[in-house]
Amino acid sequence: MATQKTPGQAPVPAPAPAPPQDPSPFRPVNLEQAYRLAETLAQSSLLGDGLRGKPGDVFVILMTAHELGLAPMQAIRNVHVIKGKAVLSADLQEGLVLQSGLAEYFRLIETDDAHAICETKRRGDPAVRLTWTAEQATRAGLGGGGD
């Protein structure tokens, strides 16, 4: 905490900065507004087939957005409902981790139809390489199903 010093007096703690105000009128501030927004978005032809007509799923995505400090449309583009769970896209996961300052980088080393190799480095730790295969994705139920 910063301190302010008046001549001849002991240091006094500086007032805490005011929290940033979101100027966007599109961020719901209560559950009713969030559900109304979910209902409106679920009617949009701009939403993918997986969300169109599903205000409950859109609502779950908006709740996830709120928990992560994301704007609603950022979450609509990057949070997906897969097998009944809100799942962050790889791009969003990478962005949040890099924004946190915990990771130095993520790099795609190699990719083709059968596999992908990525490397990441957490601050203070050695780099780690991970390989994911199409076979692993299929076994995990992520082989391009409609969900």
Side-chain angles (χ1 to χ4, degrees):
M1 177 182 292
T3 59
Q4 296 175 339
K5 188 170 182 180
T6 306
Q9 294 184 343
V12 177
Q21 296 296 317
D22 181 3
S24 172
F26 299 108
R27 284 190 196 249
V29 296
N30 59 43
L31 290 175
E32 182 183 333
Q33 287 181 2
Y35 198 76
R36 273 201 327 260
L37 180 58
E39 288 178 319
T40 300
L41 291 172
Q43 295 173 26
S44 173
S45 62
L46 298 177
L47 253 57
D49 292 339
L51 291 176
R52 194 172 312 121
K54 298 180 181 176
D57 287 358
V58 175
F59 182 76
V60 168
I61 288 174
L62 294 176
M63 294 297 295
T64 302
H66 175 75
E67 290 175 355
L68 297 173
L70 303 173
M73 291 309 295
Q74 184 181 19
I76 292 293
R77 289 187 301 272
N78 290 290
V79 179
H80 311 288
V81 178
I82 300 175
K83 298 187 185 251
K85 295 181 182 177
V87 178
L88 308 184
S89 71
D91 287 340
L92 181 58
Q93 290 178 46
E94 178 183 350
L96 291 172
V97 171
L98 290 173
Q99 184 180 25
S100 77
L102 295 174
E104 292 183 27
Y105 64 84
F106 286 90
R107 290 190 184 126
L108 178 61
I109 305 299
E110 181 180 316
T111 186
D112 60 28
D113 290 343
H115 76 292
I117 300 172
C118 296
E119 182 177 279
T120 185
K121 183 170 183 321
R122 185 180 178 109
R123 294 203 186 283
D125 289 338
V128 174
R129 280 195 180 191
L130 301 168
T131 300
W132 290 95
T133 66
E135 183 180 326
Q136 287 173 309
T138 300
R139 281 195 313 260
L142 302 173
D147 201 4

